[in-house]
Structure formats: C-alpha cells, structure tokens
Amino acid sequence: MSWTSISSETLTLVNATDDRLPHVYTLAGVNGSQLAIVASSASAKPTWRLACQFYILAELANFPGSPQLAQVHQQRILLARKTLVEVPEGIVQPFQLRLEIPYWFREMSIQIWQRSEIADEHQTLTVGAAGQTEFQLVFSPALPQETELYINGVKATYGLDYAIEGNRLTYLDSMVLEPSDKIEITYDPS
C-alpha cells in the first residue's frame, strides 16, 4: 500500500499575546489507518527535541452522532524525525488531527501522510543450496525489526537469527539451512 500526502505546510507562528499557549494546527477529514508525521523548524535550537503534541479527535463507533469529538490518541512528535502512528480501531472516519506546537517556535514545517489499508506481505523463501544465508524479499519492510520470520514453524528473532537491510534478508544463526527447510516471512512493505 502506498502513502498519500495529506498536508505539507510551513506555518509562521506568532502569538498575539504573551500567554505562552501552544500554537494549534488542525486538519479535518483524515481517513487513514496509519499516519506518518514529520515536523521540522529551521529556527529550532540544537537542544530542542519536541516539535509538537499530536492528537487524534474522532467520534466513537459506539456513540455515532455525538456532539463532541473524543480524544482517542495522543503522542509526542520529535523534531526532524518521522513518526509512525497507528490509528486506533473503533473510531468513526473521517477524523480530525490536532497538533499543539510549543509557544517558543516561530515557524514549523509539517508533513503528514496517510495510508488507508495496511496489507502485510507474506512470502515463502526458498533455500537453493545448503548453507545459503542471503535471501531477496519482494519489498523492503517498512520496519525490519517488526518482521516475523518462521523456519519450519519456529519463530526466529530479529537481530539475533536474521537481519534485513533494504529488501535483503541475511540469515545469522549458526544452524545451517537446508533446501528442505520451510522459511516464511510476514512484513509490512514500505
């Protein structure tokens, strides 16, 4: 599944008063099941880490048509880092995003992407010769450490038994793989 940009803005932030309230940025009509957010500021000091506080506001499926939106998710967004957000199940879509940016920022660039469906890739790997350690995946996993690899039905541990870089899987365990071994991997493609 591919990512779709839903917001890419550079905000000029000026407080009308010196009340030290956060700047608020809202985005309505969001429909994704997964979001990616990047916030950066050219005026940020090197010691600043927090870009904003992020909220998802939505109707709850059990209470459709309720007059107020409920806060269903809250997360900190760090400066210049891509943050992945899983949208909670059981909310009515579309929903609203709210970002509260600390008052000391004078500008902030916000980029937000959504993905409507999360479809895991399931792949069976073939051992061509005894001792093979390198395998090619169809896609590059979005989060290699969250892949699930099974060898003959036994779950392998990422970083200990195998590693992934791009779409290349390297088998690290000392047990020699044989052509008769059944190797299966499930992952979220990027």
Side-chain angles (χ1 to χ4, degrees):
M1 295 286 112
S2 63
W3 291 93
T4 304
S5 176
I6 58 172
S7 180
S8 182
E9 297 188 40
T10 298
L11 309 171
T12 301
L13 308 169
V14 178
N15 274 344
T17 62
D18 191 26
D19 55 12
R20 298 181 183 228
L21 293 175
H23 304 283
V24 176
Y25 172 74
T26 58
L27 184 63
V30 180
N31 287 304
S33 57
Q34 193 175 47
L35 303 169
I37 303 166
V38 175
S40 59
S41 176
S43 63
K45 293 182 180 178
T47 57
W48 293 356
R49 294 181 35 98
L50 177 67
C52 61
Q53 194 70 27
F54 168 80
Y55 303 91
I56 296 176
L57 307 170
E59 289 182 23
L60 300 177
N62 296 344
F63 303 99
S66 61
Q68 291 193 336
L69 298 176
Q71 177 184 314
V72 296
H73 183 80
Q74 176 180 341
Q75 190 167 344
R76 289 177 169 226
I77 306 298
L78 300 179
L79 276 169
R81 302 239 173 121
K82 184 182 282 185
T83 303
L84 295 176
V85 177
E86 296 290 333
V87 175
E89 293 182 16
I91 64 171
V92 176
Q93 296 205 22
F95 53 88
Q96 182 179 10
L97 306 181
R98 177 183 171 102
L99 284 75
E100 293 183 355
I101 303 164
Y103 70 90
W104 52 81
F105 282 102
R106 295 296 162 241
E107 59 80 29
M108 181 72 68
S109 294
I110 305 284
Q111 295 177 304
I112 304 173
W113 299 268
Q114 71 180 6
R115 185 158 54 174
S116 295
E117 293 181 32
I118 302 172
D120 285 341
E121 175 69 20
H122 181 82
Q123 189 176 344
T124 300
L125 304 175
T126 303
V127 179
Q132 180 178 343
T133 60
E134 299 287 323
F135 299 90
Q136 198 76 20
L137 302 176
V138 175
F139 301 103
S140 297
L143 299 168
Q145 67 276 12
E146 293 185 13
T147 58
E148 292 184 4
L149 180 73
Y150 291 88
I151 302 171
N152 299 323
V154 178
K155 187 173 182 179
T157 303
Y158 182 81
L160 182 64
D161 300 322
Y162 70 101
I164 298 174
E165 186 172 326
N167 68 337
R168 190 182 76 217
L169 182 143
T170 303
Y171 180 70
L172 305 172
D173 192 54
S174 60
M175 181 184 83
V176 176
L177 294 174
E178 299 290 336
S180 60
D181 288 328
K182 182 178 180 184
I183 303 173
E184 297 176 293
I185 186 167
T186 302
Y187 58 93
D188 180 20
S190 58

